[in-house]
Amino acid sequence: AQKVTQAQTEISVVEKEDVTLDCVYETRDTTYYLFWYKQPPSGELVFLIRRNSFDEQNEISGRYSWNFQKSTSSFNFTITASQVVDSAVYFCALSEYSWGKLQFGAGTQVVVTP
Amino acid sequence: SAVISQKPSRDICQRGTSLTIQCQVDSQVTMMFWYRQQPGQSLTLIATANQGSEATYESGFVIDKFPISRPNLTFSTLTVSNLSPEDSSIYLCSVEGRGGSGSYNEQFFGPGTRLTVL
């Protein structure tokens, strides 16, 4: 069975600090996909990234970066120089398909204060 | 990218009644997915809806409680039947679509329908 663990319930930082969100997953599949989504207070889900299990390269997109390590079954997400607009719940998700049936983690609430 | 709209955006319903949620996509998609997000919780997949066939339900979800229709490639409905307060949740429609980064496929979610059952 697949499982996604986001052990951090809430992280509070002051603006411009870096924040790293942990995501640990379990799966028996050799091919799988990992996702990160942002859910701001308005409620909509914003897609951030999808990574397949064969691509362990780290990725950077602006202030966002992701560290995928198959050896530790982790797909961590870092926000550099956080801003108030980064305040949201962030979900990590796992799927055996490239899209569609996602198993979500519990989410991590990020609070960025000025 | 896929633009998804849902109706209603929110509703308050009485116990024992039913609510039908509509999901409209601006492009044709093979599969549509319905998720539930209970208050303060994560998202859970309810079912997968294919056009022309019965929906496939995840463990813990049954057709009698959550009947789904998929009459064409751009539209689906989810009905939550015989409502109880435990059904108070956000219900989200989701589809796969081509993202802004070239061939990169993304999983898009609708804005959600916030249901409160009294």
Side-chain angles (χ1 to χ4, degrees):
Chain A
Q2 297 184 330
K3 184 179 179 181
V4 178
T5 301
Q6 294 181 257
Q8 303 149 307
T9 304
E10 181 171 326
I11 302 174
S12 294
V13 297
V14 177
E15 212 170 16
K16 297 184 182 178
E17 289 183 341
D18 297 348
V19 56
T20 295
L21 285 63
D22 298 333
C23 174
V24 175
Y25 62 91
E26 295 176 28
T27 180
R28 294 181 179 177
D29 297 317
T30 55
T31 302
Y32 52 89
Y33 299 82
L34 295 161
F35 301 76
W36 276 96
Y37 284 87
K38 173 183 180 180
Q39 188 173 45
S42 54
E44 77 274 20
L45 271 173
V46 179
F47 171 89
L48 297 178
I49 191 171
R50 185 195 71 168
R51 177 54 52 93
N52 73 57
S53 55
F54 297 106
D55 184 1
E56 288 193 71
Q57 281 192 341
N58 292 332
E59 180 152 341
I60 298 174
S61 176
R63 295 185 297 106
Y64 295 167
S65 62
W66 291 269
N67 184 345
F68 177 29
Q69 293 194 347
K70 286 180 73 172
S71 60
T72 56
S73 297
S74 65
F75 187 43
N76 297 338
F77 171 39
T78 297
I79 303 172
T80 302
S82 60
Q83 300 176 2
V84 173
V85 293
D86 295 326
S87 296
V89 179
Y90 292 84
F91 291 100
C92 179
L94 168 68
S95 178
E96 63 177 301
Y97 309 97
S98 61
W99 46 272
K101 300 176 68 170
L102 274 60
Q103 175 75 42
F104 282 83
T108 298
Q109 172 85 56
V110 173
V111 179
V112 182
T113 53
Chain B
S1 65
V3 177
I4 306 172
S5 60
Q6 288 185 230
K7 290 182 181 179
S9 59
R10 59 178 63 226
D11 206 343
I12 301 173
C13 298
Q14 296 297 319
R15 185 193 301 255
T17 63
S18 298
L19 176 69
T20 295
I21 303 167
Q22 299 179 6
C23 176
Q24 180 75 52
V25 188
D26 68 343
S27 58
Q28 293 185 340
V29 293
T30 304
M31 288 190 278
M32 297 176 78
F33 304 87
W34 287 98
Y35 284 81
R36 180 177 74 180
Q37 186 175 24
Q38 295 177 298
Q41 303 296 314
S42 185
L43 287 83
T44 302
L45 180 64
I46 298 172
T48 303
N50 288 323
Q51 194 264 335
S53 63
E54 285 201 3
T56 303
Y57 290 83
E58 298 300 305
S59 176
F61 298 96
V62 294
I63 187 172
D64 290 346
K65 176 68 175 177
F66 298 99
I68 288 172
S69 78
R70 182 77 200 278
N72 58 53
L73 291 174
T74 63
F75 186 79
S76 177
T77 67
L78 169 73
T79 299
V80 189
S81 304
N82 190 24
L83 291 168
S84 68
E86 292 71 36
D87 295 319
S88 297
S89 298
I90 300 173
Y91 293 87
L92 300 101
C93 174
S94 178
V95 304
E96 180 260 0
R98 195 163 298 278
S101 48
S103 61
Y104 202 98
N105 284 356
E106 299 181 10
Q107 187 73 20
F108 296 95
F109 284 82
T113 296
R114 186 180 296 270
L115 169 62
T116 301
V117 183
L118 302 178

